[in-house]
Amino acid sequence: MSGFPTLLYKELLRFWRVWFQTVVAPIITAMLYLLIFSHALANHVQVYPGISYVSFLVPGLVMMSLLQNAFANSSSSLIQSKITGNIVFVLLPPISWFEFYLAYLCGSVFRGVMVGAGVWLGTLAFAPPQLSHPLWSLVFALLGGGLLGTLGIIAGIWSEKFDQLAAFQNFIIMPLTFLSGVFYSIHSLPSFWFAVSRFNPVFYLIDGFRYGFFGASDVSPILSLLVAGTCFVALSAVCLLMLQRGYKLRH
Amino acid sequence: MTVAALSVRGLNKRFGSLHALKDVSLEVAQGEFFALLGPNGAGKTTLISILAGLTRADAGEARIMGHCVQRDYRQARRLLGVVPQELAFDPFLTVRETLQIQSGYFGLRHNHVWIDEILEQLGLQDKANSNMRALSGGMKRRVLVAQALVHKPPVIILDEPTAGVDVELRQSLWQFIRQLNRDGHTIILTTHYLEEAESLCERIAMLKLGQIVALDRTSNLLRSGGELHLEIRLDRAEVPVALQARARILGERRFGLHLASAADIEPVLAAVREAGARIEDISLRHPDLEDIFVQIMERT
Ligand SMILES: Nc1ncnc2c1ncn2[C@@H]1O[C@H](COP(=O)(O)OP(=O)(O)OP(=O)(O)O)[C@@H](O)[C@H]1O
Ligand SMILES: [Mg+2]
């Protein structure tokens, strides 16, 4: 038997033991965003014909919460284990680098999807449910959780201190998620920022996810899938290479 | 011939400009009780980390029961249990969960009987459902020992398992480890309590600045320091001229000598008499591992 199921179980247990901080708190945060933005902008913005701004906001917020929590899960788990030293307990057993990757990845996706689903349920109080292509949404949800979960593993391995991880979060994750069309359509941006957004993989995740809700999006969902999928494969390759080499984990 | 429990050949490790291990070669047979001794910074933990796959050697090869710790790491790690020197624990878990999860990492999911036995042997049964955070330092150390044993590894390495542990547990821990050794487990330990190593281990390696400076059976090492150890305190500071070459100054007016046999005492006393000195205190004993350790570390 392999150590993978237990490592995954431990990763799930770790965030579930503090579910208020790791699941409920981010849902509340997303609800606050929804409340404030919809109140402030509802009468001024319409992105797609026939879709209210509140409805437009829902998939973006769900995805943003999902992505941020997927990243937070693997990165904080790894940095905490490294700093407290209990990382040795997973380095001593015969767990392969691939199983290691898979366990942290699945833990991240699970928490991200859980928070995302919670946010979505919360938004039902503000906007009627709308999911015209649920499979597309599911695919982008999993892909987004996987992408940011992988980035979290990379950041967790790379950082040696909490400050470094915080920098990673503030200078990479935050801009990527905020400059991705969560609150607006990128077509409404000045041309420079429009061009920049098109290089942001998170934009494709959110746009594709939104397509699943409304059947309308800024770019074709196939293109979004290709871009997000390619990024996921590339990041996973980097991450697996780091793990296989023992980068910063096994001197 | 049966395969060695542990074999290390030409191991080198550098941390920047620091040469932490220099060409270390070592073999420990199955069933041995072996001590790895050396002052702080000698490289003991570095060597253990390489065996455990926590650190990679720059050159050389390490094997556990014939399995290379790099190429055949899965098998090597399955056969090895390591008690790390640094106290670490998972603050989210209880003691029992810690052991169940550790066991699961080795693919053993129904290991209750053995886990209960380890808990009992290490005096942890009362704490089984306590959170790890609530344990004292010594208790945490016991859990660390327990974690290394969950998969019943044939080769067990303990890196200072008795640091910060009270006398009672130290004795029951050694009793348990001895029992494991009698059951066929190979034990390798590091400790700064040399009397522990002397009474427990059949063979000893001494490491200094990354090099092995002594490797022998404990009994041979104990003999190598001379049969007897004589300590004398005089009424004056100068050591009698005839003894100066052999004496080690131990303190003010105190010096020590290694004697090949009891018959050597008389010439020493004669030298003291000739120098006109008076003996204020005298003691004679067999050298212990600490004497030998000090000698070897000074000599090399
Ligand atoms: N990760 C590291 N980076 C840099 N230097 C290191 C590292 N690990 C160990 N060293 C150095 O290598 C040398 C050997 O250290 P090691 O921990 O193996 O000693 P030790 O024999 O276990 O000592 P102690 O009895 O204090 O535990 C020391 O000089 C130490 O400072
Ligand atoms: Mg050490």
Side-chain angles (χ1 to χ4, degrees), chain B residues 45 85 159-160:
Chain B
T45 300
Q85 180 176 3
D159 199 352
E160 297 191 33

Side-chain angles (χ1 to χ4, degrees), chain B residues 45-253:
Chain B
T45 300
T46 305
L47 175 57
I48 292 171
S49 301
I50 290 171
L51 290 165
L54 298 173
T55 300
R56 289 178 188 189
D58 300 326
E61 196 186 45
R63 289 173 178 272
I64 305 291
M65 306 281 278
H67 299 278
C68 172
V69 300
Q70 284 291 322
R71 272 183 320 243
D72 200 3
Y73 71 94
R74 274 181 174 254
Q75 206 49 31
R77 286 186 210 163
R78 214 180 288 284
L79 297 168
L80 178 67
V82 176
V83 182
Q85 180 176 3
E86 299 288 333
L87 263 192
F89 62 94
D90 198 322
F92 294 102
L93 304 176
T94 67
V95 173
R96 187 181 292 281
E97 285 168 338
T98 299
L99 298 184
Q100 279 166 344
I101 285 180
Q102 199 62 29
S103 178
Y105 289 159
F106 286 88
L108 307 167
R109 233 146 287 146
H110 302 285
N111 202 8
H112 309 293
V113 177
W114 177 237
I115 287 177
D116 280 335
E117 173 159 359
I118 310 177
L119 284 171
E120 195 194 315
Q121 291 284 354
L122 291 168
L124 284 165
Q125 66 273 60
D126 296 342
K127 303 281 178 191
N129 299 314
S130 304
N131 186 281
M132 287 298 301
R133 263 178 306 201
L135 300 188
S136 70
M139 289 287 179
K140 286 186 187 122
R141 173 91 47 201
R142 298 185 200 194
V143 178
L144 222 48
V145 175
Q147 277 176 274
L149 302 177
V150 282
H151 57 297
K152 285 196 192 170
V155 184
I156 302 166
I157 304 184
L158 304 106
D159 199 352
E160 297 191 33
T162 48
V165 165
D166 67 31
V167 182
E168 202 180 326
L169 174 77
R170 221 186 284 173
Q171 284 172 354
S172 64
L173 175 67
W174 290 134
Q175 213 171 4
F176 183 34
I177 300 292
R178 266 200 171 119
Q179 184 57 48
L180 289 169
N181 181 239
R182 273 196 292 271
D183 294 345
H185 296 260
T186 307
I187 312 288
I188 295 126
L189 71 92
T190 80
T191 178
H192 290 292
Y193 301 107
L194 297 181
E195 67 281 4
E196 286 182 348
E198 183 177 336
S199 67
L200 290 164
C201 300
E202 304 153 32
R203 222 152 59 91
I204 290 173
M206 290 189 194
L207 218 56
K208 182 184 177 185
L209 295 173
Q211 275 177 308
I212 293 191
V213 291
L215 175 63
D216 208 338
R217 303 194 68 75
T218 312
S219 51
N220 290 345
L221 281 172
L222 286 171
R223 268 200 295 277
S224 71
E227 281 298 307
L228 289 167
H229 191 72
L230 180 69
E231 250 183 70
I232 292 179
R233 194 175 79 221
L234 291 181
D235 60 347
R236 64 195 62 196
E238 319 82 63
V239 177
V241 184
L243 301 176
Q244 267 169 7
R246 297 164 58 197
R248 285 195 304 137
I249 308 297
L250 301 171
E252 207 187 336
R253 298 184 290 136

Side-chain angles (χ1 to χ4, degrees), chain A residues 197-208:
Chain A
S197 295
R198 297 209 61 160
F199 283 101
N200 178 359
V202 178
F203 157 73
Y204 295 92
L205 286 170
I206 291 184
D207 200 59

Side-chain angles (χ1 to χ4, degrees), chain A residues 1-3 6-7 10 13-14 17 84-86 89-96 99 244-246 250-251, chain B residues 13 52-56 73-74 77-78 88-93 97 101-102 104-107 109 144 147:
Chain A
M1 274 284 228
S2 104
T6 307
L7 186 53
K10 196 229 47 177
L13 193 67
R14 193 195 68 87
R17 283 272 153 97
T84 61
N86 66 37
F89 302 139
V90 293
L91 295 179
L92 289 173
I95 296 174
S96 73
E99 290 170 321
Q244 191 213 0
R245 294 261 166 94
R250 299 181 196 272
H251 298 286
Chain B
K13 178 70 184 176
L54 298 173
T55 300
R56 289 178 188 189
Y73 71 94
R74 274 181 174 254
R77 286 186 210 163
R78 214 180 288 284
F89 62 94
D90 198 322
F92 294 102
L93 304 176
E97 285 168 338
I101 285 180
Q102 199 62 29
Y105 289 159
F106 286 88
R109 233 146 287 146
L144 222 48
Q147 277 176 274

Side-chain angles (χ1 to χ4, degrees), chain B residues 259-276:
Chain B
L259 306 180
S261 72
D264 273 1
I265 299 172
E266 187 37 43
V268 173
L269 297 180
V272 171
R273 265 197 310 275
E274 252 159 57

